[in-house]
Amino acid sequence: MEIWQYIILFLVGIVVGFVNVMAGGGSLLSIPIMLFMGVPGPVANGTNRIAIIAQMATAVVAFFKKGYSDFRLSLSLALAALPGAVAGAYAGTRLEGIWFNRIVAIITLAVMLLMAIKQDEKTYAGTPSEKPRLLLAHILMFFVGLYGGFIQIGIGFLFLPILNRTLGLDLVRVNMHKTFIISFYTTAALIVFAWQVEIFWVLGICLAVGTSIGAWISAHVQVSKGEWIIKVVLNTVLVLIIVKLLFFS
């Protein structure tokens, strides 16, 4: 790898970290760039997890310092996602190519339409108490972990219908929980990838430094600006991703 490639990955990482924490889909930028640099698909998929852990862990700390945390619920949801993430990561080590792009586009479009539906239900500032909702959310987290361990691309959008629509949490708290859950199960996924394929650690760390900076900025912007900035960034990213995957893959 040339020095300029590491610099590009660092700069790209800042954008990826900002977008991932606020909306999602940043891996649609980081993974293709690594593929363009000649990194094999499974290796890029695994190496990308280093940056994901760094940016999400950074955001968790940033949210906590701003007074946003509910580690009990975050941990229980993360544990529900963990088995799926391990299984998905093992399958992801055998993944070649980008044939899954159109599946991601369909998922992204579905989430965008769902989030556009008027929310008539109450949103919670704390932990929701309805047991059926909590049980359903934990069951769905297994499948989120499965997808996240397997591909990770676009995973942030899957948290929206679960945490916002099912649990009724506002978008800032959705991202608060999302960052903890992803950093938790992605650590296990990275171990699986490191066991099965080669990981480009230096490349991943360079990307991780950039994503951490972007994640820190993103978390602070969300807390200070509220839900409206998340909705603007979210819908912009969703439209761009759908157009790219459907027409420019």
Side-chain angles (χ1 to χ4, degrees), residues 127-171:
T127 303
S129 58
E130 292 89 341
K131 290 184 178 180
R133 288 174 174 269
L134 287 170
L135 178 59
L136 176 59
H138 282 76
I139 293 173
L140 293 174
M141 274 298 149
F142 170 82
F143 298 99
V144 169
L146 186 67
Y147 180 83
F150 181 57
I151 300 175
Q152 183 63 30
I153 294 178
I155 187 65
F157 303 126
L158 299 185
F159 282 89
L160 292 169
I162 298 174
L163 299 182
N164 178 256
R165 306 297 289 185
T166 302
L167 292 184
L169 297 173
D170 64 72
L171 295 184

Side-chain angles (χ1 to χ4, degrees), residues 10-89:
F10 168 77
L11 296 175
V12 166
I14 297 176
V15 177
V16 169
F18 184 90
V19 172
N20 264 346
V21 172
M22 187 167 291
S27 293
L28 284 166
L29 179 60
S30 58
I31 289 182
I33 285 181
M34 284 191 281
L35 294 176
F36 178 76
M37 292 179 175
V39 180
V43 177
N45 196 0
T47 301
N48 190 55
R49 310 305 171 111
I50 301 172
I52 291 170
I53 295 171
Q55 67 191 267
M56 294 301 166
T58 300
V60 169
V61 174
F63 278 122
F64 177 76
K65 288 188 174 183
K66 288 292 185 178
Y68 283 79
S69 64
D70 183 357
F71 292 123
R72 182 177 179 180
L73 179 58
S74 292
L75 181 59
S76 66
L77 291 170
L79 289 172
L82 185 60
V86 172

